[in-house]
Amino acid sequence: MFFSGDPTARKRVDLGGRSNKERDRKVLLEQTREERRRRHGLRLQNSSATKIQKCFRGKKALELARLKVRENFCSTFGVHRQTVDWNSFSTDSDFLRQFLFFFNANKDDDIDILCQVCNLLLEYAKHGGDVVRLFGGINHSSVEPLVVHRVKKLAQICVQTVHQKRLDWGSQLLMSSETTTKPSALLLETVACLINSRLPWNCKVVGYLQQKKIYCLFRGIIVSIPQIGTNLERHNNTSSLEQVLMLIASHVGHHPCCCPTVDPRWSFSSQLLSIPFLWHRLPHFKKVFSANGLSKYYIHQIACFLPSCADVLPNDVTANHPGYACVLANVLEAATWILSEPKSASDTAADIIAVCTSLLDALPTITSPNGRADDDDDIPMDADTINGLDADLERQITAAIDSRFLQHLVNALFRDTLSTNYSDPTGPSDIEVEAVGSICAFLHVTFNTLPLERIMTGLAYRTEIVPALWNFIKRCNENQRWPYFSKFVSSLPADAARWLLPVSVFCPIYKHMLKIIDNEEFYEQEKPLSLKDLKSLVFILKKALWELLWVIPSHASTSQKVLPNPSGLKKLSIENVKSRARIGLSELLTQLQDWNNRLPFTSSNDFYSLQATSENFVSQAILGNTRAWEIINLAPFLAPFTSRVKIFTSQLANSRQSTTSHSALTRHRFKIRRNRLLEDAYDQLSVLSEEDLKGPIRVAFVNEHGVEEAGIDGGGIFKDFMENITRAAFDVQNGLFKETSDHLLYPNPGSGLAHEQHLQYFHFLGSLLGKVL
């Protein structure tokens, strides 16, 4: 058959605008790259397989070598080491060389050999023998590297063995070799003997142990000890574990020491101080740590890498025992011992404050003295965690910040600065700035963590810190030279008011102090501040509060009460410092104004701000929802009484105008029994909202027979009702109020005995007085 189709080839066109050659080139390049990647993967796979096989073969060869050495060891020294004696430790003997090579902490036979070695060493030391001569002979200096190597390895495997068997040995880990022959005490006592043998190369031994992460092993040992065995108050002897820790920690903590620097992650400070309830587990070690100067070294060590390296702290116990909280609790608990020493210096106190401030800043706010939330009804009785922390851990922290601790802290910091010449025209010295900055940062973050009443009540430290802070504030104000505190509070920007930090701490302390002093102390003895100083204080605080409220207001509303940690901010954030300073200034000035009203120590005009007397300020306050209106609500004493009356009457007129238009729709009618006037009024009117109370209210009285009295309330009956209820509520027979000798009323401190809902009654009476006005 003949071909009948079209013999011409159809032309192919690339619509992408590229030629076939270009497209083929890109495909070829991609194929080449893919082939190159495949070959590279094969090379990596072959190389990895070679390394794995090499490692496996090396491990097998090592096991065979150890097995062979073990057989030679048994044939030389006997299966039960019958021929082993003190001569076996010399450099000529193969005993230690072979044993250290094949030792395996997982084998009980090897542990038995180790215990026999330790027995021989301890027996030799008890007979007055020199361990250096035992290992190296008379000319031990010639074989120093070999002796050091064996001492290091022997000490290491002893600790490793205790760590390996920690779960099996349990509470015997806290026993002393003097009271028991348990293997754990024997091994730890041997480590102590080796470290305390006065070797001239002790730094090499201790440095080697630290590089081998010895503190991680000790941490695992201590954490594994059952809680039932952690209380050693009943034991007079120091445990072998504590002895070893004392020797290693003391060697590193005391100068001169040429041990190599250890990574902060494996240091004593991060590994051991982060153990929950460390001092309860090791009470004898706590005394050595606090009294022998070790605390100065190690607390300074942890202060150097906090807060930038806070993530190095281990969190391997439980989620309820985070490392930072455990370090805080242990440092606080030891701090009282440390600062009680007469020789404790201010730099040690500064390091303690630096550590505690950094860690308290990360701690959740504690809402009550016992660590429980305010509403105990929502918490199960067996709850053991609060705010994500263990309840006992929170109680340890709150108990540590007590009056003794704060008193010692203030004494250590202000021992030098209290004697400074306060008339110095150059202003505060660098020492004073350091002391004030550190204590203010610490107290500020403490106020945001613990309940303020718990910290303040009954604390003697206020009598020292109030005059010290006041003199600092006064001198800075006189010289117009406020120092930067960014070193202590890094979140404070450079343009922030420099008086914020000291004022935010001074105000709550002095405010709570004013609650417990009487007229004689305040006016006659002039404690803690003189009346002349009080006049200057009012001027400085008023100026600071006005600047804070009017010039540099916070982003948050000034009419809101400050929370322990407002808006979830960091405790040392600029907004938190401003918020606490704002509330502290207003509350303290209110208290000082009350004292001035009793017996004037300054003119009442000194509490007014000149800017608050202007027509512009008054007009803004009348408008409502303005900065001036918030100032009137938070600090009304800044404006004169005449200005406040003008603002109030204008607001009242506006309120009446707004409620009159809705009077017909919002009218409320109530029936009140005359013989139960206060109770019925409280039950019915207390449920009304603020807007409802502003509107018209109509009342109908019911007599003792239960019959409604005739009459239509056009305003007169309600007026009669208000007169009767105020007379009944403020009657001293009712129990809510008491009467002075001048026939003036004041709230009855025992009102709770007369009325179960006495606080709600006081709130209700305040609403009624507002209705009357």
Side-chain angles (χ1 to χ4, degrees):
M1 297 294 296
F2 294 98
F3 177 71
S4 60
D6 187 3
T8 60
R10 180 174 298 178
K11 187 177 181 180
R12 292 180 292 180
V13 180
D14 187 358
L15 298 179
R18 294 173 299 180
S19 66
N20 293 339
K21 292 183 179 180
E22 183 180 356
R23 183 175 64 252
D24 294 341
R25 189 185 304 112
K26 289 185 177 296
V27 172
L28 180 61
L29 288 175
E30 186 62 31
Q31 291 176 350
T32 305
R33 293 192 188 100
E34 183 64 28
E35 184 65 22
R36 188 182 297 114
R37 285 193 293 266
R38 187 184 65 81
R39 290 196 302 270
H40 180 67
L42 287 175
R43 284 195 298 270
L44 289 178
Q45 185 176 355
N46 293 333
S47 175
S48 301
T50 302
K51 291 179 180 178
I52 293 174
Q53 292 172 6
K54 182 178 180 181
C55 180
F56 178 78
R57 288 194 300 269
K59 187 175 181 181
K60 292 295 291 184
L62 181 61
E63 291 178 357
L64 291 174
R66 283 177 174 171
L67 182 61
K68 184 176 180 180
V69 172
R70 189 188 300 272
E71 292 174 354
N72 293 335
F73 180 86
C74 292
S75 62
T76 304
F77 300 100
V79 178
H80 300 288
R81 280 77 61 191
Q82 299 91 340
T83 62
V84 176
D85 55 12
W86 291 339
N87 295 323
S88 302
F89 292 95
S90 64
T91 55
D92 299 332
S93 174
D94 292 333
F95 176 76
L96 278 181
R97 180 183 64 82
Q98 293 179 349
F99 174 67
L100 294 175
F101 178 72
F102 70 76
F103 175 80
N104 187 349
N106 293 318
K107 295 183 178 293
D108 292 338
D109 291 341
D110 290 359
I111 295 177
D112 292 339
I113 302 175
L114 181 61
C115 290
Q116 185 177 358
V117 171
C118 294
N119 259 323
L120 287 171
L121 282 176
L122 293 177
E123 190 69 24
Y124 183 81
K126 287 178 181 179
H127 286 80
D130 187 357
V131 178
V132 176
R133 291 182 179 272
L134 182 64
F135 278 85
I138 299 176
N139 298 322
H140 53 80
S141 58
S142 61
V143 289
E144 176 182 330
L146 177 61
V147 174
V148 172
H149 171 75
R150 291 183 176 181
V151 170
K152 292 190 298 186
K153 292 294 293 183
L154 185 58
Q156 180 191 5
I157 65 173
C158 285
V159 179
Q160 285 179 340
T161 303
V162 176
H163 180 268
Q164 183 71 26
K165 304 290 289 185
R166 64 190 186 281
L167 299 179
D168 298 330
W169 290 345
S171 57
Q172 67 170 275
L173 295 169
L174 292 177
M175 296 181 181
S176 171
S177 61
E178 300 175 3
T179 59
T180 182
T181 58
K182 298 294 184 181
S184 60
L186 194 65
L187 298 180
L188 291 172
E189 191 76 18
T190 302
V191 177
C193 178
L194 293 173
I195 297 176
N196 200 29
S197 58
R198 298 182 180 179
L199 293 170
W201 45 80
N202 255 358
C203 282
K204 296 180 181 179
V205 177
V206 177
Y208 173 82
L209 293 177
Q210 288 190 105
Q211 289 179 336
K212 292 297 181 179
K213 304 178 183 178
I214 195 71
Y215 292 124
C216 297
L217 300 180
F218 281 128
R219 175 184 177 84
I221 295 170
I222 298 171
V223 170
S224 67
I225 298 174
Q227 291 292 325
I228 191 174
T230 58
N231 187 3
L232 294 184
E233 295 297 333
R234 63 183 183 274
H235 295 295
N236 295 323
N237 296 322
T238 305
S239 67
S240 301
L241 177 60
E242 288 177 295
Q243 289 179 0
V244 175
L245 287 174
M246 289 175 191
L247 289 171
I248 296 179
S250 300
H251 176 82
V252 178
H254 287 157
H255 295 285
C257 175
C258 56
C259 293
T261 304
V262 184
D263 191 301
R265 292 175 294 175
W266 323 121
S267 66
F268 171 92
S269 302
S270 59
Q271 288 295 323
L272 294 192
L273 288 181
S274 59
I275 296 176
F277 315 109
L278 176 65
W279 311 126
H280 297 270
R281 301 172 187 264
L282 308 174
H284 299 288
F285 182 49
K286 172 186 177 181
K287 297 178 182 178
V288 174
F289 179 83
S290 303
N292 290 358
L294 301 183
S295 54
K296 180 178 180 180
Y297 176 83
Y298 287 111
I299 292 181
H300 179 72
Q301 183 186 72
I302 200 169
C304 291
F305 69 77
L306 285 179
S308 58
C309 299
D311 55 340
V312 306
L313 297 174
N315 296 302
D316 55 351
V317 181
T318 63
N320 302 327
H321 295 84
Y324 77 92
C326 295
V327 172
L328 174 64
N330 290 326
V331 170
L332 284 172
E333 193 170 342
T336 302
W337 287 61
I338 298 167
L339 297 174
S340 61
E341 292 290 326
K343 60 182 179 180
S344 59
S346 58
D347 54 349
T348 303
D351 284 335
I352 292 174
I353 286 183
V355 173
C356 296
T357 302
S358 175
L359 298 177
L360 278 170
D361 196 24
L363 193 73
T365 300
I366 299 174
T367 55
S368 64
N370 60 358
R372 292 194 177 277
D374 294 334
D375 188 5
D376 292 337
D377 296 335
D378 298 335
I379 300 178
M381 295 299 293
D382 59 347
D384 59 352
T385 59
I386 302 132
N387 296 329
L389 294 183
D390 178 71
D392 292 332
L393 184 60
E394 274 204 355
R395 278 190 285 270
Q396 183 187 14
I397 294 173
T398 55
I401 306 179
D402 58 2
S403 58
R404 287 182 59 206
F405 168 69
L406 292 172
Q407 184 66 61
H408 291 317
L409 198 62
V410 171
N411 289 342
L413 281 176
F414 291 108
R415 183 180 293 113
D416 299 326
T417 58
L418 281 175
S419 59
T420 305
N421 181 14
Y422 290 120
S423 61
D424 185 1
T426 60
S429 63
D430 293 339
I431 298 177
E432 289 179 274
V433 173
E434 290 279 340
V436 171
S438 58
I439 192 66
C440 285
F442 170 73
L443 289 177
H444 174 84
V445 75
T446 304
F447 294 159
N448 281 272
T449 305
L450 302 179
L452 195 60
E453 291 75 12
R454 182 199 175 282
I455 304 171
M456 293 299 175
T457 304
L459 296 183
Y461 81 94
R462 292 171 301 187
T463 57
E464 285 84 11
I465 196 171
V466 166
L469 286 181
W470 160 241
N471 278 291
F472 179 84
I473 293 172
K474 180 175 67 173
R475 293 168 64 201
C476 290
N477 181 75
E478 290 174 352
N479 293 279
Q480 295 298 313
R481 181 173 170 264
W482 290 89
Y484 284 107
F485 291 106
S486 55
K487 175 183 177 181
F488 312 99
V489 184
S490 57
S491 59
L492 289 179
D495 57 346
R498 302 184 194 176
W499 45 261
L500 270 175
L501 186 61
V503 166
S504 68
V505 173
F506 171 82
C507 289
I509 297 177
Y510 190 38
K511 180 195 72 172
H512 279 76
M513 193 170 187
L514 289 178
K515 291 182 178 180
I516 61 173
I517 63 176
D518 54 20
N519 288 349
E520 181 180 356
E521 291 177 298
F522 187 87
Y523 291 107
E524 298 178 14
Q525 300 178 10
E526 299 188 9
K527 292 182 179 179
L529 302 181
S530 66
L531 297 181
K532 180 181 178 181
D533 282 340
L534 286 176
K535 187 171 183 178
S536 302
L537 176 65
V538 170
F539 174 78
I540 294 174
L541 297 186
K542 175 190 68 176
K543 179 182 177 182
L545 180 60
W546 180 261
E547 183 177 353
L548 198 59
L549 295 178
W550 186 260
V551 181
I552 50 171
S554 172
H555 295 299
S557 175
T558 56
S559 61
Q560 295 178 353
K561 190 76 172 178
V562 67
L563 299 175
N565 190 8
S567 305
L569 297 170
K570 294 287 286 182
K571 297 167 187 174
L572 284 173
S573 66
I574 178 61
E575 287 301 321
N576 204 331
V577 176
K578 287 165 62 177
S579 180
R580 183 163 292 281
R582 185 188 316 116
I583 299 301
L585 284 165
S586 60
E587 291 180 348
L588 178 57
L589 282 171
T590 301
Q591 273 190 310
L592 290 174
Q593 190 180 47
D594 291 339
W595 282 92
N596 192 60
N597 291 336
R598 300 180 203 174
L599 186 62
F601 55 83
T602 186
S603 173
S604 59
N605 295 334
D606 290 342
F607 290 89
Y608 304 152
S609 177
L610 294 177
Q611 293 89 334
T613 61
S614 63
E615 291 296 329
N616 179 40
F617 179 86
V618 173
S619 60
Q620 287 192 34
I622 292 175
L623 294 175
N625 295 325
T626 60
R627 191 182 305 171
W629 172 243
E630 291 181 345
I631 292 175
I632 290 297
N633 280 274
L634 182 67
F637 50 82
L638 290 177
F641 181 74
T642 54
S643 299
R644 299 202 301 270
V645 169
K646 185 184 298 185
I647 296 169
F648 176 75
T649 54
S650 299
Q651 291 283 341
L652 185 61
N654 295 335
S655 177
R656 286 174 177 171
Q657 185 177 1
S658 61
T659 55
T660 303
S661 58
H662 303 286
S663 60
L665 300 176
T666 59
R667 181 174 297 178
H668 297 275
R669 300 180 182 274
F670 300 103
K671 293 182 179 181
I672 305 296
R673 292 172 292 180
R674 285 192 178 274
N675 57 347
R676 293 184 58 83
L677 186 68
L678 182 60
E679 291 79 1
D680 286 357
Y682 172 76
D683 292 338
Q684 299 184 53
L685 270 70
S686 61
V687 298
L688 296 180
S689 65
E690 180 181 341
E691 292 298 324
D692 292 337
L693 280 174
K694 292 180 181 180
I697 297 177
R698 298 294 176 253
V699 174
F701 285 110
V702 178
N703 59 26
E704 62 272 13
H705 303 292
V707 180
E708 184 176 338
E709 297 180 1
I712 299 176
D713 188 4
I717 299 179
F718 180 74
K719 180 180 179 181
D720 180 39
F721 160 75
M722 293 296 292
E723 290 176 351
N724 289 328
I725 194 174
T726 51
R727 188 180 297 112
F730 291 97
D731 187 357
V732 294
Q733 299 298 326
N734 191 41
L736 291 176
F737 293 90
K738 279 192 171 184
E739 192 176 46
T740 65
S741 57
D742 299 332
H743 304 291
L744 300 176
L745 295 178
Y746 66 94
N748 180 13
S751 58
L753 300 176
H755 296 275
E756 183 178 355
Q757 295 179 313
H758 62 117
L759 298 180
Q760 290 82 353
Y761 271 98
F762 281 120
H763 184 273
F764 170 65
L765 292 178
S767 301
L768 287 185
L769 291 178
K771 175 66 176 175
V772 171
L773 292 174

